[in-house]
Amino acid sequence: MDGREMQAIAAEVGYSETAFLTGGPDADGVRTVRYFSPKAEVPFCGHATVATAVALAERVGPGELVFSTPAGIVPVSVDAGLRATLSSVEPSVEPAELGDVLEILRWSAGDLDPALPPRVAYAGARHLVLAAATRERLAELDYDFDRLLAYMLERDLTTLQLVWRESPTVFHVRDPFPVGGVVEDPATGAAAAAFGAYLRELGLGQPKITLHQGDDLGRPSLITVELRPGDNRVHVSGTAVPITTPE
């Protein structure tokens, strides 16, 4: 299939991302994968990578997989319990220019946690990280879809990573995703990887960090982020659930 055909299928499926294995394994065991939201192709998607790895492991057995993505090479390890751990591409963190994003979100400056300053973080895709001062603020997500879409396209952002810190190792997160034609993503592995890089950049990184996502949607996801000594990559783990669709 070409890109237009993959895009059409992703739009019909309607999930936040659809992953397509387009080649491989080659002589080195590398498989090529592309990711499409209902509206556009994205360079990397963590939860679709986990799902793809688990689907493959169900067929070829657990072990080590390597995906060639538009963002770069992403190794994935799948254990016997079909839990997958991906290793990100080289991450980076940069200052964030907020513009009118707080107004678009209907937040105020006082809604932000001053201990977690805004940044743009990357680990395969770009995400604006904004930290809410309270869990209640995070729970009340009501933003201007069209204005946020324009804001994100102008800045080449894939999602907003909205977070609330429960403890140094536990965070609750939400990810608006209007560039994909989706109001909110229930699980965002790429943003989780970027957030791990963000915490490390601020000196707040822990060996293991737990992210709760999708709770406010009624679709809870549990994501583990690992920061390993001597390894600049971020490692993101999760499981996958088979979905049965109507005939």
Side-chain angles (χ1 to χ4, degrees):
M1 292 184 290
D2 62 23
R4 288 181 300 173
E5 292 173 302
M6 287 185 268
Q7 182 65 76
I9 290 172
E12 181 179 355
V13 170
Y15 294 142
S16 53
E17 266 101 7
T18 299
F20 294 86
L21 284 166
T22 62
D26 64 14
D28 297 318
V30 178
R31 293 172 166 87
T32 301
V33 62
R34 293 174 69 179
Y35 311 96
F36 287 80
S37 75
K39 290 290 185 183
E41 185 172 9
V42 297
F44 177 65
C45 173
H47 69 275
T49 298
V50 166
T52 301
V54 170
L56 274 173
E58 289 177 330
R59 291 158 174 78
V60 304
E64 305 301 317
L65 300 167
V66 181
F67 294 139
S68 176
T69 78
I73 296 296
V74 177
V76 187
S77 175
V78 185
D79 66 22
L82 296 183
R83 180 176 179 83
T85 300
L86 67 87
S87 299
S88 77
V89 298
E90 185 74 13
S92 62
V93 180
E94 63 188 69
E97 184 275 307
L98 293 184
D100 56 355
V101 70
L102 294 182
E103 178 186 330
I104 294 169
L105 290 171
R106 302 185 175 97
W107 288 21
S108 69
D111 289 323
L112 297 177
D113 182 348
L116 298 170
R119 294 287 188 274
V120 173
Y122 170 87
R126 287 165 51 85
H127 307 268
L128 173 62
V129 180
L130 293 175
T134 66
R135 182 66 179 88
E136 290 73 22
R137 173 68 277 177
L138 186 68
E140 297 171 4
L141 183 60
D142 176 25
Y143 68 89
D144 186 315
F145 187 94
D146 291 334
R147 286 184 67 193
L148 188 59
L149 170 61
Y151 174 94
M152 294 174 69
L153 289 175
E154 184 178 338
R155 292 161 176 80
D156 189 28
L157 298 172
T158 298
T159 75
L160 264 59
Q161 176 81 328
L162 308 178
V163 309
W164 174 72
R165 179 170 55 178
E166 178 180 320
S167 75
T169 59
V170 178
F171 292 81
H172 296 254
V173 304
R174 303 186 72 172
D175 283 73
F177 186 34
V179 296
V182 176
V183 173
E184 182 178 356
D185 198 0
T188 318
F195 185 58
Y198 165 90
L199 290 175
R200 182 163 52 199
E201 179 76 10
L202 294 180
L204 300 173
Q206 302 288 332
K208 283 195 177 181
I209 300 153
T210 300
L211 304 184
H212 295 272
Q213 187 174 350
D215 290 359
D216 297 297
L217 289 173
R219 292 181 59 189
S221 298
L222 193 64
I223 302 169
T224 301
V225 174
E226 293 181 73
L227 301 176
R228 299 173 184 173
D231 186 349
N232 199 41
R233 298 174 302 173
V234 182
H235 306 272
V236 176
S237 301
T239 58
V241 177
I243 297 174
T244 301
T245 56
E247 295 293 333

